[in-house]
Amino acid sequence: MSGPYGKDLERWIPRLIAVWRQARGRADGPETRLTPQEVKEVGAGVKQLSLGLTRERKLAGARYMDDPRLLGAYLLFYWPVSYAQAREALGELSARPRSVLDLGSGPAPVAFAALDAGAAEVTAADRSKPALALARALATEAGEALATREWDPLRKAPLPEGKYDLITMGHVLNELYGAGDEAVKPRAALLEQVLAQVKPGGSLVVLEPALRETSRLLLKVRDVMVEKGYAIRAPCMYRGACPALVKESDWCHAERTWTMPRVVEEIAKAAGLHKEALKMSYLVLAPAGEGWPEPRPERLFRIVSESLEGKGRQRFIGCGAEGRMGLAMQEKHRTEKNERFFKLHRGDVVSVTNTEAKGDGLALDDRSEVKVVAYAGQGVPPAPKTPAPPPDEGKREST
Ligand SMILES: C[S@@+](CC[C@H](N)C(=O)[O-])C[C@H]1O[C@@H](n2cnc3c(N)ncnc32)[C@H](O)[C@@H]1O
C-alpha cells in the first residue's frame, strides 16, 4: 500500500464491509473480503455509478446516494478512493487542521481522512440522509466522534455555523449548478461563502474528478477566485489566469500511485473498470486577505504532465510562476546534477537552472541543475526568510 496512510485505509476495509452488511440486514460473511456473490452485486452498482458519474454524467446532481444499492456500491468502491485522494491532498497542508467541516460528504471518506490525519473535531454535511446515516454507522464501528449535519446549497439549507481550520469539498462541486459554463459563477460564489468560514491560516480543499470537462470547469472557477483576489495554496504557483485553459484539449490533474485495497480491486474487475492510479483535480484555497505564498528564490516548476519521453530526450510540461511550458533535456546532457529530471513524476515541484528558451518551452543541458523541492503530495516548503540587511548596507543600497 502506497503512502503513509496505507495502513489507515486497510483498517477501514472491514468497517466498510460490516456497515454495508448491516445496512443490508446481513450479519455474516468474511470480515475483510466480500463473497463472490457480493462482489458481483456491488460491481453492478459500481458500473452504474461509473457510467452515471464519469461517462454519461446523468447521475451528477441526482439523488443516487438515497438509493441503498448505489450508496452501498459507493461505500465499498469510491469511499476508499476518495479517502486516499483526501489523504494525498491533506498531506500538502502546512499545518494540521483541528476543526474540519466536510461539505458534500456522502458517507464521509474525506471527513474520516481528516480525522486520521489528526483533526480533532469533524462535521460531515450533505443533503442525503441515508449517506449521513452510513457516516454515523461508520463512526460507531470505528469508535470515532463525527458530527453530521444536513446541508444543501441549492435549497438554501445553510452551512453549519462556526469557523473551521479546514473545509473540504470532495467531488461535490461538479454536481452543483449545472454541467456547463453557467455553473462557474455560482460555484465560485459558493466557494467564497464557504471561505468566509475558514479561520485565518486555514484552507478550503476542493477535490474534483480528473475528467476533462469537470477539471476545466474547476480551473474556470479557480480563475474567478483568483480574479477576486483569493490566493491558491496548491497546486498552482502561477498567479494569472490558468494557462491550461488556453487550449481546449488541455486540463490539469494530479496522479498518484497507490495500491488498491483487495476488495476495491475485485469490485473494479467485476465492474469492468481499470483503476490503477489515483487521479483527481484539486485546489487548496486560502481565505480572503491572505496572500499567495512568498515566492521561493529558485526557478520552480510543478510537473503537470506525464513523462513525454521521445528519442534520446525526456520532456515534461511544467507550470510555475512563469506559466505553463515544456521542459526538455536530451539524454546526452545527463549529468549527476540534472539526472533527477529523467525520473520526475506528475506533481513533483522542481527547481531548474541554466535553461535556454527553445520553441514554446525551455531546454536544459549539461550546465543545468535539477532539484526536487517537493515530491508530489508534499507541500512546497516556505521561502527561506532572508535576514534583514544591516542598517548601513540597507542605506547604501537605497542611495
Ligand atoms: C460524488 S459524491 C462525493 C462524496 C464524498 N465527498 C467523496 O468525496 O467521495 C457527491 C456528494 O455530493 C452530495 N450532493 C450533491 N448535490 C448536493 C446538494 N445540492 N447539496 C448537498 N449535497 C449534495 C451528494 O449527496 C453526494 O454525497
Side-chain angles (χ1 to χ4, degrees):
M1 177 74 53
S2 56
Y5 56 83
K7 284 210 172 84
D8 293 343
L9 177 53
E10 278 301 334
R11 274 197 287 276
W12 280 101
I13 301 302
R15 298 169 188 158
L16 297 174
I17 293 175
V19 164
W20 178 76
R21 288 200 183 117
Q22 280 161 25
R24 304 186 69 74
R26 298 177 195 155
D28 54 339
E31 237 183 66
T32 54
R33 54 184 310 181
L34 298 177
T35 65
Q37 181 53 35
E38 288 172 333
V39 170
K40 214 167 140 192
E41 194 183 310
V42 177
V46 168
K47 197 167 181 179
Q48 198 178 332
L49 278 175
S50 165
L51 264 179
L53 291 175
T54 60
R55 267 179 274 171
E56 294 166 0
R57 304 271 310 140
K58 278 193 191 132
L59 284 180
R63 297 249 175 194
Y64 57 93
M65 285 289 185
D66 295 350
D67 173 335
R69 204 175 61 87
L70 294 183
L71 175 56
Y74 199 93
L75 186 70
L76 292 177
F77 183 77
Y78 288 102
W79 195 105
V81 175
S82 296
Y83 174 97
Q85 291 174 339
R87 288 300 294 268
E88 291 280 349
L90 298 182
E92 293 200 33
L93 300 180
S94 57
R96 180 185 288 185
R98 207 189 118 71
S99 55
V100 179
L101 173 62
D102 179 28
L103 295 171
S105 65
V110 181
F112 286 115
L115 274 168
D116 284 352
E121 291 161 17
V122 181
T123 302
D126 200 284
R127 71 172 174 192
S128 166
K129 288 183 190 165
L132 292 177
L134 269 199
R136 286 191 296 273
L138 277 175
T140 307
E141 191 70 27
E144 296 274 13
L146 177 80
T148 57
R149 277 284 304 273
E150 273 176 53
W151 164 76
D152 186 343
L154 305 184
R155 286 173 202 276
K156 311 271 177 264
L159 281 164
E161 283 160 12
K163 292 234 178 191
Y164 300 85
D165 297 320
L166 170 70
I167 301 186
T168 52
M169 298 178 79
H171 302 282
V172 58
L173 201 61
N174 70 94
E175 298 204 5
L176 302 173
Y177 309 112
D181 282 351
E182 74 283 0
V184 173
K185 274 197 180 151
R187 285 183 192 171
L190 175 63
L191 295 195
E192 201 166 11
Q193 196 192 337
V194 169
L195 275 163
Q197 287 187 232
V198 173
K199 287 183 193 169
S203 299
L204 165 61
V205 171
V206 182
L207 302 177
E208 288 281 84
L211 307 167
R212 191 180 77 98
E213 283 75 19
T214 53
S215 176
R216 284 182 67 82
L217 281 175
L218 178 65
L219 299 179
K220 290 179 185 176
V221 171
R222 170 222 179 262
D223 280 1
V224 175
M225 298 305 285
V226 169
E227 182 96 339
K228 285 176 189 243
Y230 288 91
I232 310 294
R233 296 202 200 283
C236 318
M237 289 183 282
Y238 187 61
R239 300 177 180 203
C242 177
L245 286 172
V246 174
K247 265 208 254 160
E248 273 297 318
S249 53
D250 286 340
W251 75 100
C252 190
H253 71 273
E255 183 170 339
R256 309 279 161 77
T257 49
W258 75 314
T259 312
M260 269 186 190
R262 188 175 56 183
V263 68
V264 178
E265 205 177 328
E266 286 174 351
I267 296 168
K269 211 163 153 207
L273 302 177
H274 304 282
K275 273 217 164 270
E276 280 132 21
L278 278 179
K279 290 187 187 168
M280 59 180 170
S281 290
Y282 75 105
L283 278 184
V284 182
L285 292 119
E290 284 183 35
W292 288 72
E294 196 62 32
R296 288 181 54 100
E298 313 98 315
R299 197 171 183 195
L300 296 188
F301 291 94
R302 184 181 293 276
I303 302 302
V304 294
S305 72
E306 68 223 315
S307 151
L308 305 166
E309 208 172 337
K311 237 185 173 179
R313 187 182 80 145
Q314 178 59 285
R315 187 168 176 269
F316 294 98
I317 308 292
C319 190
E322 301 156 68
R324 185 179 157 99
M325 55 186 74
L327 303 172
M329 181 158 57
Q330 292 189 3
E331 182 66 45
K332 65 178 182 199
H333 292 313
R334 183 195 282 260
T335 69
E336 223 173 77
K337 292 197 165 167
N338 67 27
E339 66 178 0
R340 190 74 234 177
F341 187 74
F342 294 89
K343 296 182 207 140
L344 295 176
H345 293 287
R346 191 191 284 269
D348 291 344
V349 177
V350 289
S351 69
V352 297
T353 65
N354 297 320
T355 60
E356 214 172 276
K358 210 167 208 185
D360 57 359
L362 299 175
L364 288 77
D365 60 29
D366 47 15
R367 294 164 306 137
S368 309
E369 215 175 300
V370 177
K371 280 190 193 152
V372 177
V373 171
Y375 288 103
Q378 297 176 342
V380 177
K385 287 205 169 34
T386 37
D392 282 347
E393 230 175 88
K395 222 186 252 164
R396 210 170 31 242
E397 270 172 13
S398 63
T399 50

